[in-house]
Amino acid sequence: MKKQGNIYLIGFMGVGKTTVSKYLRELTGWEEVDTDKVIVRKKNMGIPEIFEKYGENYFRNLESHILEDYAKKGQRIVSCGGGIILRENNRKLMKKSGTVILLSATPQTIYEDGKDRPLLNGNMNPDYIGKMMQERQPYYEKAKDIEIVTDEKAPKDVAFEIIERLQIPMAGKEEEA
Ligand code: S3P
């Protein structure tokens, strides 16, 4: 059977990409990759440490290389770092090699996520998050094929919605997910 294109999950930090991605893996049986996790594994360093030591551009180059690798493989769920959409090449590559799902949420929902993220260091408040989201919005718009608002939705339901909209066959394990 022909391999399908990747499912790319994009969206601002904390919208729930990681959790939705996990459910998508369980429901489809596809392999799942998280670009941040691949970077951490390859460099054996945490993301904040990489930013601090080598800077954002270095991190973005790693991110683009990983995207290139997985774009070639296909039939994977790729959970992307929130800033992957900043580079035009990344946006083009995702569109060409799969379907790009934008998950979106309000600044308040993101604020409540609370994970350690270098770009929000010292600015972890809904106002700052809102401003940064607005700056990035045009890139998310350009990158997306489909948008799903995740506020007040269970991540598992978001995963079901994606599967339904893309008409991807389920692996038959939905009751365990
Ligand atoms: C970033 C988002 C993070 C991580 C890095 C930069 C961004 O990923 O890649 O801290 O620029 O939005 P998550 O979206 O998974 O938090």
Side-chain angles (χ1 to χ4, degrees), residues 6-169:
N6 289 330
I7 300 175
Y8 293 103
L9 294 181
I10 63 162
F12 203 79
M13 300 169 253
V15 286
K17 288 168 289 184
T18 306
T19 322
V20 170
S21 168
K22 185 191 92 178
Y23 283 119
L24 280 174
R25 167 170 51 80
E26 287 174 11
L27 293 168
T28 60
W30 290 16
E31 196 179 301
E32 175 208 13
V33 262
D34 178 315
T35 58
D36 281 355
K37 283 193 193 140
V38 178
I39 291 173
V40 168
R41 208 172 52 230
K42 275 198 168 163
K43 291 283 134 190
N44 199 21
M45 273 171 109
I47 305 280
E49 219 182 329
I50 295 173
F51 267 71
E52 202 178 306
K53 209 161 167 194
Y54 301 114
E56 182 171 348
N57 203 43
Y58 178 87
F59 173 83
R60 296 290 171 215
N61 288 337
L62 291 172
E63 194 172 56
S64 296
H65 284 136
I66 286 158
L67 185 61
E68 278 163 27
D69 282 352
Y70 285 98
K72 280 186 214 135
K73 294 183 201 259
Q75 197 155 314
R76 276 168 175 73
I77 299 144
V78 187
S79 178
C80 300
I84 208 154
I85 42 76
L86 295 172
R87 290 190 172 176
E88 189 185 2
N89 276 349
N90 292 349
R91 296 195 300 266
K92 281 191 179 156
L93 190 55
M94 288 191 286
K95 273 247 163 84
K96 224 171 64 185
S97 56
T99 309
V100 186
I101 315 279
L102 171 63
L103 302 183
S104 58
T106 63
Q108 185 63 32
T109 306
I110 284 158
Y111 170 66
E112 283 158 14
D113 175 75
K115 195 174 120 188
D116 187 12
R117 294 178 169 95
L119 293 177
L120 293 176
N121 259 355
N123 290 303
M124 195 54 185
N125 61 72
D127 271 0
Y128 184 84
I129 292 170
K131 275 195 199 117
M132 197 169 165
M133 274 173 104
Q134 245 177 8
E135 278 169 24
R136 287 198 171 174
Q137 198 52 30
Y139 303 107
Y140 285 124
E141 291 294 329
K142 278 188 214 171
K144 76 175 185 191
D145 292 310
I146 291 172
E147 177 168 357
I148 300 179
V149 179
T150 62
D151 290 306
E152 324 219 334
K153 269 189 202 157
K156 190 176 170 187
D157 291 337
V158 175
F160 272 121
E161 194 176 329
I162 293 169
I163 286 174
E164 226 172 77
R165 289 176 74 168
L166 302 189
Q167 302 200 319
I168 291 173

